[in-house]
Amino acid sequence: MTNQPLTVVQDAERDGTEPLTFLTKLCAGGSCPTVYRTDRGTYVVQGYALTAEAAGLDLPAGEQLVEIPAELLAEAVKAAG
């Protein structure tokens, strides 16, 4: 796994490959918490922004907290195989 941000993967868009593969989400339509697999062996979650201050954490530059339902993680594990 690399510590570089996902923006590095955007180069893949130029050669026609998809940088993200949809795994699962909890709603039938619209925008909701979602899990994707990247083309470099990592995962991307779409969820609700949570500030480091609200969580009582001190995050390094470039990292963010995202809150997702526990059920979404269970579904992502199933979808990832």
Short mmCIF file of all heavy atoms in Angstrom, two decimals:
data_model
loop_
_atom_site.label_atom_id
_atom_site.label_comp_id
_atom_site.label_asym_id
_atom_site.label_seq_id
_atom_site.Cartn_x
_atom_site.Cartn_y
_atom_site.Cartn_z
N MET A 1 0.84 -1.17 0.00
CA MET A 1 0.00 0.00 0.00
C MET A 1 0.88 1.23 0.00
O MET A 1 1.92 1.27 0.62
CB MET A 1 -0.89 -0.02 1.24
CG MET A 1 -1.85 1.13 1.25
SD MET A 1 -3.05 0.99 2.58
CE MET A 1 -2.35 2.15 3.73
N THR A 2 0.44 2.23 -0.69
CA THR A 2 1.20 3.47 -0.78
C THR A 2 0.55 4.55 0.07
O THR A 2 -0.65 4.54 0.28
CB THR A 2 1.31 3.93 -2.24
OG1 THR A 2 2.01 5.16 -2.27
CG2 THR A 2 -0.05 4.13 -2.88
N ASN A 3 1.33 5.47 0.56
CA ASN A 3 0.80 6.59 1.33
C ASN A 3 0.51 7.80 0.45
O ASN A 3 0.19 8.86 0.95
CB ASN A 3 1.78 6.99 2.43
CG ASN A 3 1.82 5.96 3.53
OD1 ASN A 3 0.86 5.24 3.75
ND2 ASN A 3 2.94 5.85 4.20
N GLN A 4 0.66 7.65 -0.85
CA GLN A 4 0.39 8.76 -1.75
C GLN A 4 -1.12 8.90 -1.92
O GLN A 4 -1.85 7.92 -1.93
CB GLN A 4 1.03 8.51 -3.11
CG GLN A 4 2.54 8.47 -3.04
CD GLN A 4 3.15 8.15 -4.38
OE1 GLN A 4 2.49 7.67 -5.28
NE2 GLN A 4 4.42 8.43 -4.50
N PRO A 5 -1.62 10.13 -2.07
CA PRO A 5 -3.06 10.33 -2.23
C PRO A 5 -3.56 9.75 -3.54
O PRO A 5 -2.81 9.56 -4.49
CB PRO A 5 -3.21 11.85 -2.20
CG PRO A 5 -1.88 12.38 -2.56
CD PRO A 5 -0.87 11.37 -2.09
N LEU A 6 -4.85 9.48 -3.59
CA LEU A 6 -5.47 8.87 -4.75
C LEU A 6 -5.30 9.69 -6.02
O LEU A 6 -5.37 9.16 -7.11
CB LEU A 6 -6.96 8.63 -4.49
CG LEU A 6 -7.71 7.88 -5.58
CD1 LEU A 6 -7.12 6.50 -5.77
CD2 LEU A 6 -9.17 7.79 -5.24
N THR A 7 -5.04 10.98 -5.92
CA THR A 7 -4.91 11.80 -7.12
C THR A 7 -3.85 11.22 -8.06
O THR A 7 -3.91 11.44 -9.26
CB THR A 7 -4.55 13.25 -6.77
OG1 THR A 7 -3.41 13.26 -5.91
CG2 THR A 7 -5.70 13.95 -6.09
N VAL A 8 -2.89 10.48 -7.53
CA VAL A 8 -1.89 9.82 -8.38
C VAL A 8 -2.57 8.85 -9.33
O VAL A 8 -2.16 8.68 -10.47
CB VAL A 8 -0.85 9.08 -7.50
CG1 VAL A 8 0.09 8.25 -8.34
CG2 VAL A 8 -0.08 10.07 -6.66
N VAL A 9 -3.66 8.22 -8.90
CA VAL A 9 -4.37 7.25 -9.71
C VAL A 9 -5.06 7.91 -10.90
O VAL A 9 -5.34 7.27 -11.90
CB VAL A 9 -5.38 6.46 -8.85
CG1 VAL A 9 -6.17 5.47 -9.67
CG2 VAL A 9 -4.64 5.75 -7.74
N GLN A 10 -5.32 9.20 -10.82
CA GLN A 10 -6.02 9.88 -11.90
C GLN A 10 -5.27 9.75 -13.23
O GLN A 10 -5.88 9.85 -14.28
CB GLN A 10 -6.24 11.36 -11.56
CG GLN A 10 -7.26 11.52 -10.46
CD GLN A 10 -7.40 12.96 -10.02
OE1 GLN A 10 -6.59 13.81 -10.35
NE2 GLN A 10 -8.42 13.24 -9.25
N ASP A 11 -3.97 9.51 -13.21
CA ASP A 11 -3.24 9.28 -14.45
C ASP A 11 -3.81 8.10 -15.22
O ASP A 11 -3.75 8.04 -16.43
CB ASP A 11 -1.76 9.02 -14.17
CG ASP A 11 -1.05 10.27 -13.67
OD1 ASP A 11 -1.57 11.37 -13.87
OD2 ASP A 11 0.03 10.11 -13.09
N ALA A 12 -4.41 7.13 -14.53
CA ALA A 12 -5.00 5.96 -15.19
C ALA A 12 -6.17 6.36 -16.08
O ALA A 12 -6.45 5.68 -17.06
CB ALA A 12 -5.45 4.95 -14.15
N GLU A 13 -6.85 7.45 -15.76
CA GLU A 13 -7.98 7.88 -16.57
C GLU A 13 -7.54 8.22 -17.99
O GLU A 13 -8.30 8.05 -18.93
CB GLU A 13 -8.65 9.10 -15.93
CG GLU A 13 -9.31 8.77 -14.62
CD GLU A 13 -9.85 9.99 -13.92
OE1 GLU A 13 -9.39 11.11 -14.21
OE2 GLU A 13 -10.70 9.81 -13.06
N ARG A 14 -6.34 8.65 -18.15
CA ARG A 14 -5.86 9.03 -19.48
C ARG A 14 -5.67 7.85 -20.40
O ARG A 14 -5.78 7.97 -21.60
CB ARG A 14 -4.55 9.81 -19.36
CG ARG A 14 -4.77 11.17 -18.75
CD ARG A 14 -3.52 12.01 -18.84
NE ARG A 14 -3.51 12.81 -17.62
CZ ARG A 14 -2.52 12.86 -16.77
NH1 ARG A 14 -1.42 12.21 -16.98
NH2 ARG A 14 -2.60 13.59 -15.70
N ASP A 15 -5.39 6.66 -19.85
CA ASP A 15 -5.18 5.50 -20.72
C ASP A 15 -6.43 4.62 -20.83
O ASP A 15 -6.37 3.51 -21.32
CB ASP A 15 -3.96 4.68 -20.28
CG ASP A 15 -4.13 4.04 -18.92
OD1 ASP A 15 -5.26 4.02 -18.39
OD2 ASP A 15 -3.12 3.56 -18.38
N GLY A 16 -7.58 5.12 -20.34
CA GLY A 16 -8.83 4.40 -20.51
C GLY A 16 -9.17 3.42 -19.40
O GLY A 16 -10.22 2.81 -19.43
N THR A 17 -8.31 3.22 -18.41
CA THR A 17 -8.65 2.34 -17.31
C THR A 17 -9.37 3.12 -16.23
O THR A 17 -9.21 4.31 -16.10
CB THR A 17 -7.39 1.66 -16.72
OG1 THR A 17 -6.54 2.68 -16.20
CG2 THR A 17 -6.66 0.85 -17.75
N GLU A 18 -10.16 2.43 -15.45
CA GLU A 18 -10.91 3.07 -14.36
C GLU A 18 -10.12 2.99 -13.07
O GLU A 18 -9.74 1.89 -12.66
CB GLU A 18 -12.26 2.39 -14.20
CG GLU A 18 -13.19 2.58 -15.37
CD GLU A 18 -13.63 4.01 -15.56
OE1 GLU A 18 -13.83 4.73 -14.55
OE2 GLU A 18 -13.75 4.44 -16.71
N PRO A 19 -9.88 4.10 -12.38
CA PRO A 19 -9.14 4.07 -11.13
C PRO A 19 -9.96 3.51 -9.96
O PRO A 19 -9.40 3.00 -9.02
CB PRO A 19 -8.76 5.51 -10.89
CG PRO A 19 -9.78 6.29 -11.62
CD PRO A 19 -10.18 5.46 -12.81
N LEU A 20 -11.30 3.60 -10.02
CA LEU A 20 -12.15 3.11 -8.94
C LEU A 20 -13.15 2.08 -9.46
O LEU A 20 -13.74 2.26 -10.52
CB LEU A 20 -12.94 4.24 -8.29
CG LEU A 20 -12.14 5.33 -7.59
CD1 LEU A 20 -13.09 6.39 -7.03
CD2 LEU A 20 -11.29 4.75 -6.49
N THR A 21 -13.35 1.01 -8.68
CA THR A 21 -14.35 0.00 -8.99
C THR A 21 -15.38 0.01 -7.87
O THR A 21 -15.04 -0.15 -6.70
CB THR A 21 -13.71 -1.40 -9.07
OG1 THR A 21 -12.72 -1.38 -10.09
CG2 THR A 21 -14.74 -2.46 -9.38
N PHE A 22 -16.64 0.21 -8.21
CA PHE A 22 -17.72 0.23 -7.24
C PHE A 22 -17.81 -1.14 -6.57
O PHE A 22 -17.78 -2.18 -7.24
CB PHE A 22 -19.05 0.55 -7.93
CG PHE A 22 -20.24 0.32 -7.07
CD1 PHE A 22 -20.63 1.28 -6.15
CD2 PHE A 22 -20.97 -0.85 -7.17
CE1 PHE A 22 -21.74 1.06 -5.34
CE2 PHE A 22 -22.07 -1.07 -6.36
CZ PHE A 22 -22.46 -0.12 -5.45
N LEU A 23 -17.93 -1.16 -5.23
CA LEU A 23 -18.14 -2.42 -4.51
C LEU A 23 -19.55 -2.50 -3.94
O LEU A 23 -20.27 -3.45 -4.21
CB LEU A 23 -17.13 -2.59 -3.37
CG LEU A 23 -15.71 -2.89 -3.78
CD1 LEU A 23 -14.82 -3.05 -2.55
CD2 LEU A 23 -15.65 -4.15 -4.64
N THR A 24 -19.97 -1.51 -3.15
CA THR A 24 -21.29 -1.57 -2.54
C THR A 24 -21.70 -0.22 -1.98
O THR A 24 -20.86 0.63 -1.72
CB THR A 24 -21.32 -2.64 -1.42
OG1 THR A 24 -22.67 -2.86 -1.00
CG2 THR A 24 -20.47 -2.24 -0.24
N LYS A 25 -23.01 -0.05 -1.81
CA LYS A 25 -23.56 1.11 -1.12
C LYS A 25 -24.84 0.66 -0.43
O LYS A 25 -25.33 -0.45 -0.67
CB LYS A 25 -23.80 2.28 -2.06
CG LYS A 25 -24.84 2.05 -3.14
CD LYS A 25 -24.94 3.29 -4.01
CE LYS A 25 -26.00 3.11 -5.09
NZ LYS A 25 -26.15 4.34 -5.85
N LEU A 26 -25.36 1.49 0.45
CA LEU A 26 -26.51 1.09 1.25
C LEU A 26 -27.85 1.62 0.75
O LEU A 26 -28.88 1.21 1.25
CB LEU A 26 -26.32 1.52 2.71
CG LEU A 26 -25.21 0.81 3.47
CD1 LEU A 26 -25.14 1.32 4.90
CD2 LEU A 26 -25.42 -0.69 3.45
N CYS A 27 -27.87 2.51 -0.21
CA CYS A 27 -29.14 3.04 -0.68
C CYS A 27 -29.40 2.59 -2.11
O CYS A 27 -28.50 2.19 -2.83
CB CYS A 27 -29.16 4.56 -0.59
SG CYS A 27 -27.92 5.38 -1.62
N ALA A 28 -30.66 2.68 -2.51
CA ALA A 28 -31.05 2.23 -3.85
C ALA A 28 -30.74 3.27 -4.92
O ALA A 28 -30.58 2.93 -6.08
CB ALA A 28 -32.53 1.89 -3.87
N GLY A 29 -30.67 4.51 -4.55
CA GLY A 29 -30.40 5.55 -5.53
C GLY A 29 -29.86 6.80 -4.86
O GLY A 29 -29.91 6.93 -3.65
N GLY A 30 -29.32 7.68 -5.66
CA GLY A 30 -28.78 8.92 -5.12
C GLY A 30 -27.41 8.73 -4.52
O GLY A 30 -26.75 7.72 -4.71
N SER A 31 -27.00 9.71 -3.75
CA SER A 31 -25.68 9.71 -3.14
C SER A 31 -25.79 9.24 -1.70
O SER A 31 -26.60 9.73 -0.93
CB SER A 31 -25.10 11.12 -3.20
OG SER A 31 -23.82 11.14 -2.66
N CYS A 32 -24.99 8.25 -1.33
CA CYS A 32 -24.99 7.71 0.03
C CYS A 32 -23.63 7.07 0.30
O CYS A 32 -22.82 6.95 -0.61
CB CYS A 32 -26.12 6.71 0.21
SG CYS A 32 -26.00 5.28 -0.85
N PRO A 33 -23.37 6.65 1.54
CA PRO A 33 -22.10 6.01 1.83
C PRO A 33 -21.83 4.85 0.87
O PRO A 33 -22.69 4.01 0.63
CB PRO A 33 -22.27 5.52 3.27
CG PRO A 33 -23.20 6.52 3.87
CD PRO A 33 -24.18 6.80 2.76
N THR A 34 -20.62 4.84 0.31
CA THR A 34 -20.26 3.88 -0.74
C THR A 34 -18.82 3.44 -0.52
O THR A 34 -18.01 4.20 0.00
CB THR A 34 -20.38 4.55 -2.13
OG1 THR A 34 -21.71 5.09 -2.26
CG2 THR A 34 -20.12 3.59 -3.27
N VAL A 35 -18.49 2.22 -0.95
CA VAL A 35 -17.12 1.73 -0.89
C VAL A 35 -16.68 1.36 -2.30
O VAL A 35 -17.41 0.71 -3.06
CB VAL A 35 -16.98 0.50 0.03
CG1 VAL A 35 -15.56 -0.04 0.01
CG2 VAL A 35 -17.38 0.85 1.45
N TYR A 36 -15.46 1.78 -2.66
CA TYR A 36 -14.84 1.49 -3.95
C TYR A 36 -13.50 0.80 -3.72
O TYR A 36 -12.84 1.03 -2.71
CB TYR A 36 -14.56 2.79 -4.73
CG TYR A 36 -15.76 3.66 -4.96
CD1 TYR A 36 -16.10 4.65 -4.03
CD2 TYR A 36 -16.53 3.52 -6.09
CE1 TYR A 36 -17.19 5.47 -4.24
CE2 TYR A 36 -17.63 4.35 -6.31
CZ TYR A 36 -17.94 5.32 -5.39
OH TYR A 36 -19.03 6.14 -5.59
N ARG A 37 -13.05 0.00 -4.67
CA ARG A 37 -11.70 -0.57 -4.66
C ARG A 37 -10.90 0.19 -5.71
O ARG A 37 -11.40 0.47 -6.79
CB ARG A 37 -11.74 -2.06 -5.00
CG ARG A 37 -10.36 -2.70 -5.01
CD ARG A 37 -10.37 -4.20 -5.21
NE ARG A 37 -11.52 -4.68 -5.95
CZ ARG A 37 -12.22 -5.78 -5.62
NH1 ARG A 37 -11.88 -6.50 -4.59
NH2 ARG A 37 -13.24 -6.16 -6.35
N THR A 38 -9.66 0.53 -5.40
CA THR A 38 -8.82 1.22 -6.38
C THR A 38 -8.06 0.20 -7.22
O THR A 38 -8.04 -0.99 -6.90
CB THR A 38 -7.78 2.15 -5.70
OG1 THR A 38 -6.79 1.34 -5.05
CG2 THR A 38 -8.44 3.08 -4.70
N ASP A 39 -7.42 0.68 -8.24
CA ASP A 39 -6.63 -0.20 -9.11
C ASP A 39 -5.23 -0.42 -8.54
O ASP A 39 -4.37 -0.99 -9.19
CB ASP A 39 -6.57 0.34 -10.53
CG ASP A 39 -5.92 1.70 -10.63
OD1 ASP A 39 -5.60 2.31 -9.59
OD2 ASP A 39 -5.75 2.18 -11.76
N ARG A 40 -5.01 0.00 -7.30
CA ARG A 40 -3.69 -0.19 -6.69
C ARG A 40 -3.78 -0.89 -5.33
O ARG A 40 -2.93 -0.73 -4.47
CB ARG A 40 -2.95 1.13 -6.59
CG ARG A 40 -3.68 2.20 -5.83
CD ARG A 40 -2.98 3.53 -5.93
NE ARG A 40 -3.45 4.37 -4.84
CZ ARG A 40 -2.85 5.43 -4.42
NH1 ARG A 40 -1.72 5.81 -4.99
NH2 ARG A 40 -3.34 6.13 -3.44
N GLY A 41 -4.89 -1.63 -5.11
CA GLY A 41 -5.02 -2.45 -3.93
C GLY A 41 -5.44 -1.73 -2.67
O GLY A 41 -5.20 -2.22 -1.57
N THR A 42 -6.07 -0.58 -2.79
CA THR A 42 -6.58 0.15 -1.65
C THR A 42 -8.09 0.36 -1.81
O THR A 42 -8.65 0.00 -2.85
CB THR A 42 -5.88 1.52 -1.48
OG1 THR A 42 -6.12 2.30 -2.66
CG2 THR A 42 -4.38 1.36 -1.27
N TYR A 43 -8.73 0.93 -0.80
CA TYR A 43 -10.16 1.17 -0.84
C TYR A 43 -10.44 2.64 -0.59
O TYR A 43 -9.71 3.31 0.13
CB TYR A 43 -10.88 0.32 0.22
CG TYR A 43 -10.75 -1.14 -0.10
CD1 TYR A 43 -9.68 -1.88 0.37
CD2 TYR A 43 -11.69 -1.78 -0.89
CE1 TYR A 43 -9.54 -3.22 0.06
CE2 TYR A 43 -11.56 -3.12 -1.22
CZ TYR A 43 -10.49 -3.83 -0.74
OH TYR A 43 -10.34 -5.16 -1.06
N VAL A 44 -11.53 3.13 -1.18
CA VAL A 44 -11.97 4.51 -1.00
C VAL A 44 -13.40 4.44 -0.47
O VAL A 44 -14.22 3.69 -0.99
CB VAL A 44 -11.94 5.28 -2.34
CG1 VAL A 44 -12.59 6.64 -2.20
CG2 VAL A 44 -10.52 5.41 -2.84
N VAL A 45 -13.66 5.19 0.60
CA VAL A 45 -15.02 5.24 1.15
C VAL A 45 -15.60 6.63 0.96
O VAL A 45 -14.91 7.63 1.10
CB VAL A 45 -15.07 4.84 2.64
CG1 VAL A 45 -14.69 3.39 2.81
CG2 VAL A 45 -14.23 5.72 3.49
N GLN A 46 -16.87 6.65 0.62
CA GLN A 46 -17.63 7.89 0.54
C GLN A 46 -18.56 7.86 1.75
O GLN A 46 -19.29 6.89 1.95
CB GLN A 46 -18.45 7.93 -0.74
CG GLN A 46 -19.40 9.09 -0.84
CD GLN A 46 -20.24 9.00 -2.09
OE1 GLN A 46 -19.84 8.43 -3.09
NE2 GLN A 46 -21.44 9.54 -2.03
N GLY A 47 -18.48 8.86 2.57
CA GLY A 47 -19.31 8.89 3.77
C GLY A 47 -19.50 10.30 4.26
O GLY A 47 -19.37 11.26 3.50
N TYR A 48 -19.76 10.40 5.53
CA TYR A 48 -20.05 11.69 6.15
C TYR A 48 -18.77 12.25 6.77
O TYR A 48 -18.10 11.56 7.53
CB TYR A 48 -21.14 11.52 7.20
CG TYR A 48 -22.36 10.86 6.61
CD1 TYR A 48 -22.62 9.52 6.87
CD2 TYR A 48 -23.22 11.56 5.77
CE1 TYR A 48 -23.73 8.89 6.31
CE2 TYR A 48 -24.32 10.94 5.20
CZ TYR A 48 -24.57 9.61 5.47
OH TYR A 48 -25.65 8.98 4.90
N ALA A 49 -18.43 13.48 6.42
CA ALA A 49 -17.22 14.11 6.93
C ALA A 49 -17.29 14.25 8.44
O ALA A 49 -18.33 14.60 9.00
CB ALA A 49 -17.02 15.48 6.29
N LEU A 50 -16.19 13.94 9.10
CA LEU A 50 -16.07 14.05 10.54
C LEU A 50 -14.77 14.80 10.82
O LEU A 50 -13.71 14.38 10.35
CB LEU A 50 -16.02 12.65 11.18
CG LEU A 50 -15.85 12.57 12.68
CD1 LEU A 50 -17.06 13.18 13.39
CD2 LEU A 50 -15.66 11.13 13.10
N THR A 51 -14.88 15.90 11.52
CA THR A 51 -13.66 16.67 11.79
C THR A 51 -12.80 15.97 12.83
O THR A 51 -13.31 15.26 13.71
CB THR A 51 -13.99 18.09 12.28
OG1 THR A 51 -14.61 18.00 13.56
CG2 THR A 51 -14.87 18.84 11.30
N ALA A 52 -11.51 16.17 12.73
CA ALA A 52 -10.57 15.61 13.70
C ALA A 52 -10.87 16.16 15.09
O ALA A 52 -10.79 15.43 16.08
CB ALA A 52 -9.14 15.93 13.29
N GLU A 53 -11.24 17.42 15.17
CA GLU A 53 -11.56 18.03 16.46
C GLU A 53 -12.74 17.33 17.11
O GLU A 53 -12.72 17.04 18.30
CB GLU A 53 -11.86 19.53 16.28
CG GLU A 53 -10.68 20.36 15.81
CD GLU A 53 -10.40 20.23 14.31
OE1 GLU A 53 -11.32 19.91 13.53
OE2 GLU A 53 -9.25 20.42 13.92
N ALA A 54 -13.79 17.04 16.33
CA ALA A 54 -14.98 16.37 16.87
C ALA A 54 -14.65 14.96 17.36
O ALA A 54 -15.25 14.47 18.31
CB ALA A 54 -16.08 16.32 15.81
N ALA A 55 -13.67 14.32 16.72
CA ALA A 55 -13.28 12.96 17.10
C ALA A 55 -12.21 12.96 18.18
O ALA A 55 -11.84 11.90 18.69
CB ALA A 55 -12.77 12.22 15.87
N GLY A 56 -11.67 14.11 18.50
CA GLY A 56 -10.62 14.20 19.51
C GLY A 56 -9.28 13.67 19.02
O GLY A 56 -8.50 13.13 19.80
N LEU A 57 -9.03 13.81 17.72
CA LEU A 57 -7.79 13.30 17.13
C LEU A 57 -6.97 14.43 16.53
O LEU A 57 -7.49 15.49 16.19
CB LEU A 57 -8.11 12.29 16.02
CG LEU A 57 -8.87 11.03 16.45
CD1 LEU A 57 -9.25 10.22 15.22
CD2 LEU A 57 -8.02 10.21 17.40
N ASP A 58 -5.69 14.15 16.35
CA ASP A 58 -4.78 15.06 15.66
C ASP A 58 -4.30 14.34 14.42
O ASP A 58 -3.47 13.44 14.50
CB ASP A 58 -3.60 15.41 16.58
CG ASP A 58 -2.65 16.42 15.95
OD1 ASP A 58 -3.09 17.16 15.05
OD2 ASP A 58 -1.49 16.45 16.37
N LEU A 59 -4.85 14.69 13.26
CA LEU A 59 -4.52 13.99 12.02
C LEU A 59 -3.35 14.65 11.30
O LEU A 59 -3.23 15.88 11.30
CB LEU A 59 -5.71 13.99 11.07
CG LEU A 59 -6.94 13.22 11.49
CD1 LEU A 59 -8.03 13.36 10.44
CD2 LEU A 59 -6.61 11.76 11.73
N PRO A 60 -2.51 13.86 10.64
CA PRO A 60 -1.45 14.43 9.83
C PRO A 60 -2.03 15.09 8.58
O PRO A 60 -3.15 14.78 8.16
CB PRO A 60 -0.57 13.23 9.47
CG PRO A 60 -1.39 12.03 9.73
CD PRO A 60 -2.46 12.40 10.69
N ALA A 61 -1.28 15.98 8.00
CA ALA A 61 -1.70 16.66 6.77
C ALA A 61 -2.04 15.64 5.71
O ALA A 61 -1.36 14.62 5.56
CB ALA A 61 -0.59 17.58 6.28
N GLY A 62 -3.11 15.87 4.97
CA GLY A 62 -3.50 15.00 3.88
C GLY A 62 -4.45 13.89 4.26
O GLY A 62 -4.94 13.17 3.40
N GLU A 63 -4.74 13.70 5.55
CA GLU A 63 -5.68 12.67 5.98
C GLU A 63 -6.98 13.30 6.45
O GLU A 63 -7.00 14.42 6.95
CB GLU A 63 -5.09 11.82 7.10
CG GLU A 63 -3.96 10.95 6.64
CD GLU A 63 -3.51 9.96 7.71
OE1 GLU A 63 -4.14 9.88 8.78
OE2 GLU A 63 -2.51 9.30 7.46
N GLN A 64 -8.09 12.56 6.24
CA GLN A 64 -9.40 13.01 6.67
C GLN A 64 -10.13 11.85 7.31
O GLN A 64 -9.82 10.69 7.07
CB GLN A 64 -10.22 13.50 5.48
CG GLN A 64 -9.64 14.71 4.81
CD GLN A 64 -10.49 15.17 3.64
OE1 GLN A 64 -11.30 14.41 3.11
NE2 GLN A 64 -10.31 16.41 3.23
N LEU A 65 -11.11 12.16 8.12
CA LEU A 65 -11.96 11.14 8.72
C LEU A 65 -13.28 11.08 7.96
O LEU A 65 -13.83 12.11 7.59
CB LEU A 65 -12.25 11.48 10.19
CG LEU A 65 -11.04 11.55 11.11
CD1 LEU A 65 -11.47 12.07 12.48
CD2 LEU A 65 -10.39 10.19 11.22
N VAL A 66 -13.78 9.87 7.73
CA VAL A 66 -15.06 9.66 7.07
C VAL A 66 -15.84 8.65 7.90
O VAL A 66 -15.33 7.58 8.21
CB VAL A 66 -14.88 9.13 5.63
CG1 VAL A 66 -16.23 8.87 4.98
CG2 VAL A 66 -14.07 10.11 4.80
N GLU A 67 -17.06 8.99 8.24
CA GLU A 67 -17.90 8.09 9.03
C GLU A 67 -18.85 7.35 8.10
O GLU A 67 -19.50 7.95 7.25
CB GLU A 67 -18.70 8.90 10.05
CG GLU A 67 -19.53 8.05 10.98
CD GLU A 67 -20.22 8.86 12.06
OE1 GLU A 67 -20.22 10.11 11.98
OE2 GLU A 67 -20.75 8.24 12.97
N ILE A 68 -18.90 6.02 8.27
CA ILE A 68 -19.79 5.19 7.47
C ILE A 68 -20.49 4.19 8.39
O ILE A 68 -19.97 3.84 9.44
CB ILE A 68 -19.05 4.44 6.34
CG1 ILE A 68 -17.96 3.55 6.90
CG2 ILE A 68 -18.49 5.43 5.32
CD1 ILE A 68 -17.33 2.62 5.88
N PRO A 69 -21.66 3.69 8.00
CA PRO A 69 -22.35 2.69 8.81
C PRO A 69 -21.57 1.37 8.86
O PRO A 69 -20.94 0.97 7.88
CB PRO A 69 -23.68 2.48 8.08
CG PRO A 69 -23.86 3.71 7.24
CD PRO A 69 -22.48 4.14 6.87
N ALA A 70 -21.61 0.68 10.00
CA ALA A 70 -20.93 -0.61 10.15
C ALA A 70 -21.42 -1.61 9.11
O ALA A 70 -20.64 -2.42 8.59
CB ALA A 70 -21.16 -1.15 11.55
N GLU A 71 -22.70 -1.56 8.78
CA GLU A 71 -23.28 -2.46 7.79
C GLU A 71 -22.58 -2.32 6.43
O GLU A 71 -22.41 -3.27 5.69
CB GLU A 71 -24.78 -2.20 7.64
CG GLU A 71 -25.47 -3.09 6.63
CD GLU A 71 -26.94 -2.73 6.45
OE1 GLU A 71 -27.43 -1.79 7.10
OE2 GLU A 71 -27.57 -3.38 5.62
N LEU A 72 -22.16 -1.09 6.10
CA LEU A 72 -21.48 -0.87 4.83
C LEU A 72 -20.15 -1.61 4.80
O LEU A 72 -19.78 -2.18 3.78
CB LEU A 72 -21.26 0.62 4.60
CG LEU A 72 -20.61 1.00 3.27
CD1 LEU A 72 -21.46 0.56 2.08
CD2 LEU A 72 -20.33 2.48 3.20
N LEU A 73 -19.42 -1.65 5.91
CA LEU A 73 -18.16 -2.39 5.95
C LEU A 73 -18.41 -3.88 5.74
O LEU A 73 -17.66 -4.54 5.00
CB LEU A 73 -17.43 -2.16 7.28
CG LEU A 73 -16.76 -0.81 7.45
CD1 LEU A 73 -16.11 -0.76 8.83
CD2 LEU A 73 -15.75 -0.56 6.38
N ALA A 74 -19.44 -4.41 6.37
CA ALA A 74 -19.76 -5.83 6.21
C ALA A 74 -20.08 -6.15 4.75
O ALA A 74 -19.61 -7.15 4.19
CB ALA A 74 -20.92 -6.22 7.12
N GLU A 75 -20.86 -5.29 4.11
CA GLU A 75 -21.21 -5.49 2.71
C GLU A 75 -19.98 -5.35 1.80
O GLU A 75 -19.84 -6.06 0.82
CB GLU A 75 -22.30 -4.50 2.27
CG GLU A 75 -23.65 -4.77 2.91
CD GLU A 75 -24.21 -6.13 2.54
OE1 GLU A 75 -24.11 -6.53 1.37
OE2 GLU A 75 -24.76 -6.79 3.44
N ALA A 76 -19.07 -4.44 2.15
CA ALA A 76 -17.85 -4.26 1.35
C ALA A 76 -16.96 -5.50 1.42
O ALA A 76 -16.39 -5.91 0.42
CB ALA A 76 -17.09 -3.03 1.83
N VAL A 77 -16.86 -6.09 2.61
CA VAL A 77 -16.07 -7.32 2.75
C VAL A 77 -16.64 -8.42 1.88
O VAL A 77 -15.92 -9.13 1.19
CB VAL A 77 -15.98 -7.75 4.24
CG1 VAL A 77 -15.42 -9.15 4.38
CG2 VAL A 77 -15.16 -6.76 5.02
N LYS A 78 -17.96 -8.57 1.87
CA LYS A 78 -18.61 -9.57 1.02
C LYS A 78 -18.34 -9.29 -0.45
O LYS A 78 -18.02 -10.19 -1.22
CB LYS A 78 -20.13 -9.57 1.24
CG LYS A 78 -20.57 -10.15 2.55
CD LYS A 78 -22.09 -10.11 2.60
CE LYS A 78 -22.62 -10.12 4.00
NZ LYS A 78 -24.07 -9.95 4.02
N ALA A 79 -18.48 -8.03 -0.85
CA ALA A 79 -18.32 -7.66 -2.26
C ALA A 79 -16.88 -7.82 -2.73
O ALA A 79 -16.62 -8.14 -3.89
CB ALA A 79 -18.77 -6.21 -2.48
N ALA A 80 -15.90 -7.59 -1.84
CA ALA A 80 -14.49 -7.70 -2.22
C ALA A 80 -14.05 -9.15 -2.37
O ALA A 80 -13.03 -9.43 -2.98
CB ALA A 80 -13.63 -6.99 -1.18
N GLY A 81 -14.84 -10.06 -1.81
CA GLY A 81 -14.53 -11.50 -1.94
C GLY A 81 -13.49 -11.91 -1.01
O GLY A 81 -12.66 -12.65 -0.99
#
